[in-house]
Amino acid sequence: MALAMGRLNGIKLLETLNAEERNALESRCQWRRFGKGDEILARNSDNRDLSLIVEGSVDVINYSLSGRPVAYGSLGMGDYFGELSAIDGEPRSASVLSAGNTTIATLPASVFLELIASRPEIASKVLRRMASIIRICDERIMDLATLGAMQRVIVELCRAAKPDPITKDSWLIYPAPPQREFAARASTTRETVARVFAQLAAGGLIRRKGRTLYLADKTQLERMAQRISGPSPGQ
């Protein structure tokens, strides 16, 4: 364990703790390493621990009855997952897969509950995180209820895009994820994503260069998606 000391310094949830407090938590963690594609948590499992991402990144996914993956999101180094089961004691609501070489520190649910009971600022962070998850779920429910598959793919393109640091009014996605990942995010098939990408590329709205996907006109793509705006329930 001496080798692990200080490795929780990058966990954002714990940034208000001093070094001594973080070291005390490290001594109560279990440490595991995973390779790309390894399952870290399985949906419906009875594991209740909080997982802290010390190195690497993970994908949070679920599966439809037909076995098609549905992506909930990705989490990177310094983030955490598993707080829902740690709090309510219910089975896991989704599966978590390693996106690469990943190191996870797992904190027992009882220790996590003690932490949020004794540190209001940490409890506040957890509450804000849960509020964010609810808002994202609201958006995705609206997408599924009101948008077709092509529109959902375009919405996911716009969500993933960041401003191009070189070209003004241009947007890019780097590294561009594989089409199957876009399909999981948009709750559709890889074949649909390939067809949408081909149509957008033919219209000059997107182009791929190496591992970068460029969006020539993000505003036009947003109009194409005909996204319904307005307050979600609970806002």
Side-chain angles (χ1 to χ4, degrees):
M1 183 55 64
L3 293 176
M5 286 302 175
R7 300 191 71 186
L8 294 185
N9 291 350
I11 303 300
K12 290 172 282 189
L13 181 66
L14 308 178
E15 62 188 0
T16 59
L17 301 181
N18 60 40
E20 183 179 353
E21 290 169 327
R22 283 194 295 270
N23 288 342
L25 281 182
E26 287 182 5
S27 67
R28 305 178 77 175
C29 287
Q30 290 186 342
W31 301 77
R32 297 183 294 165
R33 286 188 176 274
F34 298 90
K36 183 176 176 62
D38 288 347
E39 185 176 70
I40 299 172
L41 287 178
R43 184 177 186 271
N44 290 327
S45 72
D46 58 3
N47 181 292
R48 302 290 180 266
D49 297 339
L50 181 77
S51 295
L52 310 170
I53 306 173
V54 178
E55 296 173 340
S57 59
V58 304
D59 296 319
V60 184
I61 65 172
N62 214 329
Y63 296 92
S64 68
L65 291 177
S66 64
R68 189 177 71 196
V70 178
Y72 285 178
S74 299
L75 301 170
M77 184 171 65
D79 218 323
Y80 66 94
F81 58 90
E83 69 275 20
L84 295 182
S85 291
I87 291 171
D88 66 14
E90 294 296 319
R92 297 296 185 182
S93 60
S95 296
V96 180
L97 306 180
S98 175
N101 293 324
T102 303
T103 300
I104 300 292
T106 58
L107 192 66
S110 59
V111 178
F112 173 59
L113 294 176
E114 290 173 8
L115 186 64
I116 59 177
S118 62
R119 301 296 293 249
E121 78 280 8
I122 293 179
S124 178
K125 288 183 180 182
V126 173
L127 286 173
R128 288 197 299 270
R129 159 79 165 264
M130 289 184 170
S132 175
I133 291 173
I134 292 171
R135 289 182 183 277
I136 291 171
C137 288
D138 283 348
E139 289 184 359
R140 291 186 179 274
I141 289 169
M142 285 295 291
D143 288 347
L144 287 171
T146 61
L147 303 179
M150 178 176 182
Q151 293 167 304
R152 295 199 303 273
V153 172
I154 295 173
V155 166
E156 292 303 328
L157 274 172
C158 293
R159 279 182 178 146
K162 305 295 181 185
D164 187 336
I166 298 176
T167 305
K168 184 180 178 181
D169 297 327
S170 182
W171 296 72
L172 58 81
I173 302 171
Y174 177 85
Q179 291 181 354
R180 66 176 180 275
E181 187 171 323
F182 273 108
R185 293 179 185 178
S187 298
T188 187
T189 64
R190 190 194 63 78
E191 290 75 17
T192 297
V193 173
R195 184 167 60 251
V196 173
F197 278 22
Q199 293 173 1
L200 296 177
L205 291 172
I206 65 172
R207 65 182 178 88
R208 189 174 190 121
K209 183 177 181 181
R211 300 181 64 194
T212 304
L213 189 64
Y214 292 93
L215 279 61
D217 191 336
K218 184 169 178 278
T219 301
Q220 184 176 344
L221 287 171
E222 289 171 342
R223 286 198 297 265
M224 289 176 63
Q226 298 177 356
R227 177 131 188 205
I228 297 177
S229 60
S232 299
Q235 283 189 317

